[in-house]
Amino acid sequence: MTGGAESTPRNAATDGRAGDPVAEPAGVPAAGSAPFLGVEDLVVEYPTAQGPFRAVDRVSFRLPRGGSLAVVGESGCGKSTLARALVRLLKPTSGRIVLDGTDIATLPERRLRPLRRRVQMVFQDPYGSLDPHLTAQQIVAEPLRLSGTGDRAERARRAAELLDRVGLPSSALHRRPPEFSGGQRQRIGIARALASRPDVLVCDEATSALDVSVQAQVLDLLRELQAETGIAYLFIAHNLGVVREISAEVVVMHAGRVVETGPTAAVLAAPAEPYTRALRRAALDPTAIRGVKPRHLLAATAPEGTRT
C-alpha cells in the first residue's frame, strides 16, 4: 500500500494554480521520482450534437509501483471514462498516460498491443462482463490465447491455477457464468485480469454489484494478491467506506475534475471540500445494509465527533 497516511490532505481548488487539478496526491512519490503510472492533464471528450462533452477534465495523479490509489465520486463524474482511458479502451483527447516511462495515451495499436498486458481491468458488472458461452477455465485462458502464450494444455493449466488462487474449487473449471453467484463471477473476472501477469489492475466499481459480505471477501482477496505479487491497484469507486479498506490514498472527482486528494483516512476524517463532505455522508447508509453491519464501514460514515 502507499505510504503518507500522516500527511495533510490537499485541496485541489486551492493547491497550485487556481482552479487547476492537483498533480500529485499526498503520500505518493515526489516530483523527482518516477511513478510507475503517471497521469498528466488527461482530457477525454465525447462528441455530441451540441459539441464536445468533456467527461475527464485535466486529471492528474501518480501511482507508484505496488501501490494503491482510489478515484471516487458520484455517478457521472467521469470515473469510468477515466478507467477506460487508462486501459486504452478509449483514446484520450489530450494529456499523457505514462506507464513505466512510456506515454501510452497516443500510441497506435501496433505499438500499444505489447503493453496492454501490463494494465488490466476488472469490470463493474460481474453478470455482463463474462461470456456466458465459455467455461470459467476458457474465460481465464482467453487472454493467454490472444497473446499466443503456450499451447492449449499450458493455458488450461495456468487458468486452473488462477481459479484456484481466487478461491474457486476445481469443480468450477467447466461451469459457465450463469451457474455462478455474483461474487464467484467477480472472482473469475479477477482471475482473467491476472492471467497476463499485469503490473497494474484497474478495478472499476469491482465490488459495487455485490452484497456487503461478498464485498469483504473480494477486498480480502485483492489485499492478499497485492501482498503476494506486488501488483498496483487503481480503484474506481463511489463508496468511501469500501475505499478506506483497500487504498491509502484517494482522489475525489466531481464533474470530470479533481477536487480533493490526499490520504484516505485523512480525507474521510476531515474532508476539505463541501462536495467531499456530501459524498462522505452519502457513501453508506447504515440503515440500508443487509445482514451484519461491518463496524469499519459504519465508522467511516459516522458523524464527526461520534467515532471511537
Side-chain angles (χ1 to χ4, degrees), residues 110 139 141 156 171 188 244 302:
R110 177 180 58 83
I139 289 169
S171 60
I188 296 171
R244 183 183 190 179

Side-chain angles (χ1 to χ4, degrees), residues 12-276:
T14 58
D15 196 56
R17 294 174 296 174
D20 283 353
V22 172
E24 300 173 19
V28 302
S33 61
F36 186 73
L37 178 67
V39 176
E40 304 170 9
D41 288 332
L42 195 70
V43 173
V44 182
E45 294 179 337
Y46 294 111
T48 71
Q50 292 74 39
F53 170 73
R54 183 164 290 193
V56 174
D57 189 2
R58 297 185 63 203
V59 166
S60 299
F61 59 81
R62 311 175 82 211
L63 176 65
R65 187 184 298 273
S68 297
L69 179 68
V71 179
V72 303
E74 64 189 339
S75 296
C77 74
K79 307 185 305 294
S80 290
T81 295
L82 173 63
R84 283 161 172 74
L86 293 180
V87 297
R88 278 295 307 271
L89 294 177
L90 293 174
K91 187 173 182 180
T93 304
S94 64
R96 287 159 50 88
I97 304 170
V98 181
L99 177 67
D100 201 16
T102 299
D103 183 5
I104 66 171
T106 58
L107 282 184
E109 182 59 33
R110 177 180 58 83
R111 294 182 57 197
L112 181 64
R113 190 173 297 115
L115 299 174
R116 284 194 178 277
R117 72 155 194 87
R118 304 188 71 180
V119 183
Q120 291 292 306
M121 190 166 178
V122 178
F123 294 90
Q124 176 178 0
D125 181 9
Y127 296 92
S129 61
L130 304 179
D131 189 331
H133 304 293
L134 299 181
T135 66
Q137 189 173 38
Q138 290 169 331
I139 289 169
V140 177
E142 186 72 357
L144 301 175
R145 184 186 69 81
L146 293 174
S147 65
T149 301
D151 56 20
R152 180 178 296 181
E154 183 178 346
R155 293 193 294 267
R157 178 188 57 78
R158 172 69 177 150
E161 290 175 352
L162 286 165
L163 288 168
D164 177 69
R165 181 62 198 85
V166 299
L168 290 175
S170 58
S171 60
L173 294 177
H174 305 295
R175 292 158 54 193
R176 290 174 169 76
E179 301 175 65
F180 293 100
S181 68
Q184 289 172 323
R185 294 186 198 201
Q186 200 62 296
R187 288 171 184 267
I188 296 171
I190 293 170
R192 176 179 61 184
L194 294 173
S196 56
R197 294 184 172 91
D199 299 298
V200 179
L201 194 61
V202 178
C203 299
D204 184 14
E205 301 275 13
T207 65
S208 65
L210 309 175
D211 65 38
V212 172
S213 61
V214 179
Q215 279 186 12
Q217 294 170 14
V218 172
L219 293 176
D220 285 344
L221 170 62
L222 291 172
R223 275 191 291 264
E224 291 172 8
L225 291 170
Q226 185 174 52
E228 290 180 9
T229 67
I231 194 171
Y233 289 141
L234 192 140
F235 294 94
I236 306 295
H238 68 274
N239 190 324
L240 289 176
V242 170
V243 166
R244 183 183 190 179
E245 289 302 297
I246 199 66
S247 180
E249 302 288 333
V250 64
V251 170
V252 182
M253 284 184 66
H254 176 55
R257 292 177 66 85
V258 172
V259 297
E260 187 167 356
T261 184
T264 305
V267 170
L268 284 174
E273 287 294 298
Y275 174 78
T276 311

